[in-house]
Amino acid sequence: MNPSIPVDSGKTIPIKSRQARKWKENVTAYLFIAPLLSIFAVFILYSLYFLIHTSFQNTDISFGKATDAGTNNYRLVLEDSHFYFSVLNNLIFSAGNIFISITIGFIVTVFLSLKFRGSRFFHALFFIPAMLPGALIATVFSMILEYRFGAWNEFLRALGLDFLAKQWLSDPHLAYMSVIVIGVYLIGFPMMYYSADLTTVNTSVLEAAVLDGAGLNRIMWNIVFPLLKNAHKTIIISTLLSSFREFERIYLMTGGGPAQSTEISSIYLFNYFRGAGANIGYVSAASTLLLIIALAISFIQLRMYVKGKKERKSAA
Amino acid sequence: MNLIRVTRAERFFGISFIVALSLFWIFPVIVTIKNSLQVDGLNNYVYIFTHKIAGLSIFRSFFNSLIVAVGDTTIILVVGTLAAFAFSKMVFIGRQKIYSIILMCLAIPAIVAVIPFFFILKKLHLYNTLGAVIIAEVAMTVPFAVLMMRNFFDNIPDELMESALIDGATKFQTFRRIYLPLSVPALINLGVLCIMWSFQDYLFPTMFLTNGSLTTATMAVNSFQGAFSFNPIDQGRFYASLVVLGMPAFIIFLFAQRYIANGITSGALKD
């Protein structure tokens, strides 16, 4: 703040009142963020305290007779191979989603940017599933992929491809693949990032490439793809984080089964929590560990973001 | 103008690829619509609009969803915008630290929040009310609102603030009369996103609402499935209800596609 702003009388503001103003600015700013901080305190800080507190107890969902459990719950979680497996599944599923996004999502965006008759229709078609409730998509596909009466197998049988009609959701190996492949229907958001980033690409670079005789294939993968670095980064990080938030796609398609093969961490927690007489202390311990993993990923992302901002500033 | 110039053969290849791929998108749509007409034709649709399913009319479930979406969006817009303004335009102790902590909250998996929220909402006597879902969704979504609106305010020059202050306006007046009107487009983007996310939410309504009359449209997908038997008429009706329950997404898409694209990409953590 400029210390010598003339006030109405033409005098400059004395030091003392400058400090008073600084103090006032702090108070005003905290009034602005007060609603946010109160939600944060009640729902996030208290939740954290609650989770950590409960994770050292044995208790049920009525939170009635809690007994001290020491670190026993953590030991049990860390000894449960299904816990590791569910986190690993999260990572594999997000890897699958990321792969689909940066291949099919990217290709579709570039091809749709060729603007042909009907391209707006196709854009809508590819995009709308991302807006539908995940529960709806999962329910529809759980019926379509059903073994005996599911539409997909009926379609394959009608084509005479009976040998391809498989137990898509009840064979452990196939179920794993099926739930990943359904991720294809969620390319809407990657498409959005790509098309936003595509508009920032310098057209003269592309024109030069065309003059040099580069075909669509070369332009796409050797020029456009590396230029969309920002979109790739955003997609990778947000997909990774959202995989820890994913729940209904798998819950309503396989429920984590068969034989816990498609169990991601949210399903692991949910199934345990829903079990009769579940030890909430155990669920809290597992939740705390999961939270630490998700926050660690977010922390790395934040560091990248702050670093990127600094680099951009020094370049400017 | 086309961004990439291509030969006719390449163009043909690109279009063919899109058309071929689109068949995988059209397939489930056709299956769902075809099944929704089985046995009784359009009467399936008449049935789901005129009968209670699982003790609930479909209008009621839309209405519940609407209340949750509107409540959630209103609170997020107010709380998020106020905070974002402070983070962007005011200097105060702990600004960067608090902002970083709020951003970290974006990573909290909803499932982790279920148990503590369950406990807190019971204590607040909100459990089994639509208010429970609203406040839980607000807690999970407001960090995004802060991020997005801060990015927006950062792009409005500080000079507006300084000149208003010299003219004797208070901080709140500056916010209310200058920055808020300028941020209407961003608020629309954010509002549309919040409504969409709220309509998509499945976990919180399922966990915090056990009273059947409070079922939201997204929960209804599942509760209707249990209410219909496996005979062809009932299955037809179930598919019809799925088509109807998907309609809000189409409507939001038709009217607000642009806002969603703007909102998501402006809130992105770009480097």
Side-chain angles (χ1 to χ4, degrees):
Chain A
M1 201 66 40
N2 189 344
S4 56
I5 297 170
V7 268
D8 294 343
S9 58
K11 286 180 206 155
T12 52
I13 301 166
I15 302 286
K16 208 173 177 187
S17 89
R18 248 202 295 158
Q19 268 169 352
R21 265 181 46 184
K22 232 178 176 177
W23 169 240
K24 213 182 135 200
E25 168 138 358
N26 262 302
V27 173
T28 324
Y30 272 93
L31 284 176
F32 272 86
I33 61 171
L36 178 74
L37 289 184
S38 35
I39 292 176
F40 180 77
V42 175
F43 282 89
I44 308 296
L45 277 187
Y46 185 77
S47 288
L48 268 179
Y49 160 78
F50 183 84
L51 269 184
I52 294 170
H53 180 73
T54 321
S55 68
F56 291 106
Q57 292 180 335
N58 289 323
T59 180
D60 60 11
I61 195 64
S62 64
F63 304 106
K65 286 169 268 163
T67 55
D68 186 49
T71 54
N72 200 30
N73 286 325
Y74 285 98
R75 194 176 53 77
L76 286 173
V77 175
L78 291 173
E79 277 173 4
D80 184 4
S81 61
H82 283 300
F83 177 73
Y84 295 102
F85 194 62
S86 72
V87 174
L88 184 67
N89 267 348
N90 254 22
L91 298 177
I92 293 172
F93 284 163
S94 56
N97 280 342
I98 289 168
F99 179 76
I100 289 168
S101 301
I102 65 178
T103 53
I104 298 178
F106 172 73
I107 295 170
V108 168
T109 312
V110 172
F111 284 173
L112 283 177
S113 79
L114 297 178
K115 298 248 164 51
F116 49 90
R117 187 186 296 202
S119 59
R120 286 187 60 190
F121 164 78
F122 288 111
H123 180 267
L125 185 69
F126 290 126
F127 186 80
I128 284 176
M131 299 192 51
L132 287 168
L136 187 73
I137 297 180
T139 306
V140 167
F141 277 99
S142 71
M143 296 192 295
I144 285 180
L145 294 176
E146 203 268 331
Y147 177 62
R148 278 204 303 175
F149 305 111
W152 180 238
N153 279 353
E154 275 184 359
F155 175 70
L156 290 173
R157 289 188 194 109
L159 290 181
L161 299 166
D162 293 53
F163 64 96
L164 278 179
K166 296 267 170 62
Q167 308 212 3
W168 300 108
L169 294 176
S170 42
D171 175 327
H173 299 291
L174 281 175
Y176 206 76
M177 197 196 69
S178 299
V179 289
I180 292 180
V181 169
I182 296 303
V184 163
Y185 290 92
L186 303 176
I187 59 170
F189 286 115
M191 276 168 62
M192 217 151 70
Y193 288 120
Y194 281 132
S195 43
D197 218 15
L198 205 55
T199 57
T200 66
V201 169
N202 189 344
T203 46
S204 59
V205 177
L206 299 177
E207 274 160 22
V210 172
L211 289 179
D212 286 345
L216 175 62
N217 200 26
R218 299 262 326 251
I219 292 182
M220 225 168 100
W221 295 109
N222 295 355
I223 299 171
V224 178
F225 193 79
L227 280 175
L228 300 186
K229 193 178 76 206
N230 284 341
H232 296 319
K233 250 190 226 167
T234 311
I235 290 166
I236 289 171
I237 293 288
S238 63
T239 313
L240 196 57
L241 283 177
S242 67
S243 82
F244 285 94
R245 283 191 165 192
E246 187 126 16
F247 173 75
E248 56 264 36
R249 168 151 57 120
I250 290 169
Y251 178 66
L252 293 175
M253 279 178 73
T254 64
Q260 290 175 297
S261 61
T262 57
E263 195 169 70
I264 58 171
S265 39
S266 60
I267 308 278
Y268 174 85
L269 287 177
F270 185 82
N271 283 344
Y272 200 96
F273 171 66
R274 271 293 168 94
N279 179 3
I280 297 302
Y282 179 89
V283 185
S284 299
S287 298
T288 308
L289 292 172
L290 185 65
L291 187 62
I292 291 171
I293 297 171
L295 288 180
I297 295 174
S298 162
F299 185 71
I300 296 168
Q301 167 200 30
L302 209 61
R303 291 307 289 266
M304 272 167 56
Y305 172 60
V306 173
K307 216 177 107 203
K309 223 178 178 181
K310 268 187 196 145
E311 275 166 15
R312 206 168 36 176
K313 265 197 187 137
S314 60
Chain B
M1 193 199 78
N2 281 329
L3 194 61
I4 303 172
R5 270 193 277 160
V6 290
T7 64
R8 287 185 76 152
E10 285 166 342
R11 205 178 158 75
F12 179 75
F13 172 77
I15 297 172
S16 316
F17 180 88
I18 292 288
V19 173
L21 192 68
S22 73
L23 296 179
F24 286 92
W25 268 252
I26 292 171
F27 181 75
V29 176
I30 291 180
V31 167
T32 311
I33 292 176
K34 184 175 148 272
N35 285 347
S36 77
L37 298 171
Q38 74 188 12
V39 186
D40 235 1
L42 284 172
N43 283 334
N44 287 338
Y45 287 90
V46 175
Y47 179 89
I48 57 163
F49 280 120
T50 52
H51 288 74
K52 285 192 170 184
I53 308 158
L56 181 83
S57 86
I58 201 161
F59 293 112
R60 184 63 197 261
S61 74
F62 279 132
F63 183 67
N64 289 337
S65 286
L66 191 69
I67 291 181
V68 171
V70 170
D72 159 84
T73 306
T74 313
I75 300 177
I76 289 175
L77 287 183
V78 173
V79 174
T81 311
L82 281 171
F85 180 74
F87 286 124
S88 173
K89 297 291 176 226
M90 296 165 92
V91 184
F92 57 93
I93 300 159
R95 174 167 87 154
Q96 205 46 49
K97 285 218 169 62
I98 298 174
Y99 184 66
S100 301
I101 292 171
I102 298 290
L103 280 199
M104 295 275 284
C105 294
L106 279 170
I108 298 174
I111 189 82
V112 166
V114 164
I115 290 175
F117 280 15
F118 177 83
F119 182 79
I120 295 167
L121 293 168
K122 278 222 152 156
K123 277 273 150 94
L124 297 174
H125 300 288
L126 282 171
Y127 182 74
N128 228 345
T129 66
L130 293 176
V133 181
I134 293 177
I135 197 74
E137 285 178 3
V138 167
M140 299 306 279
T141 321
V142 83
F144 177 84
V146 174
L147 166 71
M148 186 188 141
M149 291 311 292
R150 191 205 163 150
N151 282 352
F152 178 81
F153 285 131
D154 278 351
N155 288 327
I156 303 183
D158 294 350
E159 281 78 10
L160 286 177
M161 178 99 169
E162 282 154 26
S163 57
L165 290 177
I166 290 170
D167 288 345
T170 65
K171 287 273 155 77
F172 186 75
Q173 283 170 331
T174 320
F175 168 72
R176 171 78 189 72
R177 304 229 176 255
I178 299 175
Y179 285 90
L180 200 59
L182 283 173
S183 61
V184 168
L187 289 173
I188 294 176
N189 293 342
L190 178 61
V192 171
L193 273 177
C194 291
I195 291 173
M196 184 188 80
W197 282 329
S198 172
F199 264 106
Q200 288 182 331
D201 187 22
Y202 175 80
L203 189 61
F204 286 150
T206 312
M207 299 308 288
F208 302 143
L209 302 173
T210 53
N211 181 346
S213 67
L214 295 176
T215 301
T216 65
T218 308
M219 281 168 84
V221 170
N222 204 25
S223 64
F224 285 6
Q225 190 166 28
F228 286 112
S229 67
F230 277 107
N231 69 53
I233 296 185
D234 265 13
Q235 284 298 298
R237 287 169 181 164
F238 177 53
Y239 274 100
S241 72
L242 289 181
V243 173
V244 173
L245 291 171
M247 288 325 277
F250 282 93
I251 295 169
I252 298 175
F253 176 82
L254 286 180
F255 291 101
Q257 180 199 3
R258 184 160 63 95
Y259 303 119
I260 289 179
N262 292 343
I264 279 274
T265 48
S266 64
L269 289 179
K270 288 185 196 154
D271 81 351

